[in-house]
Amino acid sequence: MEKKSTNKKFTIIIGALVVLGITYGTIKYLHALSHEETDDAQIEKNMTPIIPRVSGYISKVYIKDNDFVKKGDTLFTIDPKEYQLKIEEAIANLASAEGNFEVSKADIGSVLASISVSDANVKSAFGNIQNAKIKLGLATNDFNRYNNLYQNHSITKQQYEQALAAKQEAENQVSILEQQQKASAYQKTATQAKSKVSDKQTDVAAANIKRAKAQLESARLNKSYTVITAAIDGQVSKIDLQPGQLVQPGQSLFYIINNNEAWVIANFKETQLNKMLTGQKVTLKVDAYPDYDFNGTVTSFSPATGSRFSILPPDNATGNFVKTIQRLPVKISIDKSNDAEKVKLLRPGMNVEVDVHIK
C-alpha cells in the first residue's frame, strides 16, 4: 500500500514536471514568434579622446581620475615659454617686413622722381638739338657765302676760316647734343626698368608682411593650444599625467565620456534578422541594474558583419571552408522616456540582454 502511494506521488511529480515543461516550452515558443533575443550586446557612449595639438612638457594637471567636467574646463596645461618666444620672434619678423615695405615704397617714390627728371632731360635735349640745328643752318649758309666770296678773292683767308670754324663748331654742337639725348633716353629706360623692379620688390615686401602676420597668428594659435580644455560635458577616464611629462601632437592621453547619451550595440545572428526592422521596440536588461527595464528602439543595421571589420577579415577562398553563423551589429537607441538618472549610470562596455519586439 505504501509502495503504491509512493509510485502515485512520483507519477504526479513527473506529470507536473511534464506539464510545466510543456507550458514553459509553449510560452517560449509563442514568445519566440514575436521576439528576437540576444545577450551579445553592450552599452556604448561617445568617448572623446583628449589629444594635444602641440608638443611640450606638462606644467599643471587640473583633474583627477573619474572627475566630472564641463565644456571649456581646463584639463591640463603645457609649458608656454617656448611658444611665447615664437610669438616674440614673429612680432619682430613682422616689424622687419613692415620696415622693408616702407623702404620699398620710398624707393618707388625716388624712382618715379628720377623718371620725371629723365623725361625732362630728354625733352630738354630735344629742344637744344633743334636750336643747335638752327644755328648749324645759319653757320652753313654763312660758310657757303664766305666760301664763294673767298673763291672770288673778295674776303680774306682769315674771314673764310672764321666762317668754317663757326660751321664746324655748330656741327659738333649738334653731335654732342644728340649724344646727350641718347644718354638721357637710355637713362630714362633704365630708370623705368628700375621702377618695375621696385614695384616687384614692393609686392614681395607686401607678401612678406602677410606671411609674417600669418606666422604671428600661427604662433599665437599654437600658444593657445598649450591650454587643453574639455570639448564636451562629461566624465574623464583614468588620468595618467603628471607635471614634467612630455606629450606629443596626436598622442591620445585619456577620454571624456558623455554620460547624457547612450545606445546599445547588439550582435544578432544572421538567422535572427529576417523579421527585424528599424523602428521596432526593444526591451533592454542591463546586468548591472537587473531591477530596471530600459526601453529602446532599433535604429540601424550595420552595413557588414562584425567579422568584416576585424583586422584580419576571413577569406573563405583559402583553406578548408567551415560554415559559421555570422553576427551583424544592430544599433539600438535608448528612448528618452527612460529615467534620465538611470541612463547616466550606464557605462560603455556594460553587458545587456536585448529583446526585440518583432510583432
Side-chain angles (χ1 to χ4, degrees), residues 25-37 275 356 358-359:
T26 301
I27 293 173
K28 281 293 184 181
Y29 174 74
L30 294 175
H31 183 271
L33 292 177
S34 58
H35 296 264
E36 289 292 353
E37 298 178 334
K275 296 181 180 180
V356 179
I358 59 177
K359 286 186 180 180

Side-chain angles (χ1 to χ4, degrees), residues 196-211:
K196 294 180 180 179
V197 172
S198 297
D199 288 339
K200 294 294 183 182
Q201 290 177 340
T202 302
D203 293 340
V204 171
N208 288 336
I209 289 177
K210 291 182 179 179
R211 179 170 58 188

